[in-house]
Amino acid sequence: SDHARALAAFITPALVFGGLLGGRAPIDLGEADDSQAGKGYRLKIKARLYGESMRTISQKKNGGVGSLEEAFNAALIAGASFINIDNVRGNVDSPAIEAFMTADSYVARSAYSKNMDIDPRRVILCMTSNKADMTTDLANRSACVRIIKQPPGYAFATFPEGDVLDHVETNQARFLGAVFAIVKAWHAAGRPRTKETRHDFRKWAQTLDWI
C-alpha cells in the first residue's frame, strides 16, 4: 500500500495542475524507520519530474509552530508549487496548515510582505518526519508513504547521468510524458473512480485508486 501511494504521489500533481481532480489532494507525508532513509529524496524526484524544485522549510528549534507557519506563508508568497515541511518533530499543531488543506482560498501573511490571496488548489504540499505527533485533523489530511532504510553498503541503482535524481532530470520530458499518458488513458475512459471511502479526500482516493 505504501508503494501504491508513492506511485500515486507522482501522478497527483498532473491532476492537480490540470484541474482534473475535482477536489483537493492530501499532504504527501513521508515517514521512515530511521534517519537518511530517503524521505526527502523521493520528494525531490517528484518535483524534478515536473521540472520544478522542492521548496523546503523546517521548524526552528526555539520558534515553535508560529515560525513554521511564517516560513510556510513565505514559500506561498514566493510562488512555490511544491513545498516540503521537512523533518517535523514533536507536536505538530498548525490550524493554518490544516485550513490551507481544505479552504478554497488562503491568505498568506509574512513579515515585510503584503498579505496575499493564494489558491491552495494549485500547491503540492509535502511533509517528512521520523517521530512527529500530528493532530487528528492534520493526519486525516495526509497520505502516508512509509520507507524502510536500506542496510549499510546497499548499492543503489546508477545511470550514465549519475543517480536516480540525475536520471530523472536528464530524461524529464520522457518521464512526464509517461505520467501524461496515464492521465490521458484515465480521461479517455471517462475519468472513472472507484467506491473507495477510507480517506477523507475521497475524490483523490477514488481517482488514484482506479488508476
Side-chain angles (χ1 to χ4, degrees):
S1 59
D2 290 293
H3 191 189
R5 286 189 291 273
L7 291 173
F10 285 104
I11 301 170
T12 295
L15 300 173
V16 169
F17 297 146
L20 298 171
L21 199 54
R24 298 294 298 279
I27 298 170
D28 182 355
L29 171 62
E31 289 187 342
D33 62 341
D34 202 354
S35 177
Q36 299 298 307
K39 306 181 301 297
Y41 191 72
R42 177 180 68 86
L43 299 179
K44 286 182 181 179
I45 292 173
K46 180 171 76 169
R48 291 289 197 279
L49 174 63
Y50 288 88
E52 297 279 352
S53 295
M54 184 67 68
R55 177 72 176 260
T56 300
I57 61 176
S58 60
Q59 292 172 301
K60 295 181 180 179
K61 289 183 178 180
N62 56 357
V65 172
S67 296
L68 174 63
E69 291 177 351
E70 184 176 343
F72 175 64
N73 286 331
L76 292 173
I77 291 172
S81 298
F82 290 84
I83 300 175
N84 175 32
I85 304 173
D86 194 38
N87 281 328
V88 292
R89 298 187 180 99
N91 294 324
V92 183
D93 185 0
S94 173
I97 294 176
E98 291 174 8
F100 176 85
M101 292 305 301
T102 55
D104 293 329
S105 180
Y106 177 85
V107 178
R109 299 175 174 86
S110 182
Y112 313 113
S113 297
K114 292 183 179 179
N115 293 349
M116 183 175 293
D117 287 327
I118 302 293
D119 183 354
R121 297 168 297 178
R122 295 293 182 267
V123 177
I124 302 298
L125 184 57
C126 309
M127 189 178 295
T128 63
S129 174
N130 290 334
K131 297 178 180 179
D133 184 13
M134 294 184 176
T135 63
T136 300
D137 284 340
L138 195 59
N140 288 338
R141 289 163 168 79
S142 304
C144 184
V145 176
R146 296 177 179 89
I147 295 176
I148 297 175
K149 187 174 182 178
Q150 297 288 4
Y154 180 85
F156 289 93
T158 58
F159 301 88
E161 305 89 354
D163 61 13
V164 175
L165 186 60
D166 296 323
H167 183 58
V168 170
E169 284 185 327
T170 302
N171 299 278
Q172 184 263 340
R174 176 189 174 195
F175 288 120
L176 186 57
V179 171
F180 286 164
I182 293 170
V183 174
K184 181 180 178 181
W186 165 76
H187 195 278
R191 298 168 64 169
R193 304 200 309 246
T194 67
K195 295 183 179 181
E196 174 63 64
T197 59
R198 290 175 292 174
H199 197 283
D200 286 358
F201 284 54
R202 196 157 295 176
K203 290 182 179 179
W204 170 85
Q206 292 175 346
T207 296
L208 272 300
D209 187 45
W210 188 93
I211 291 175

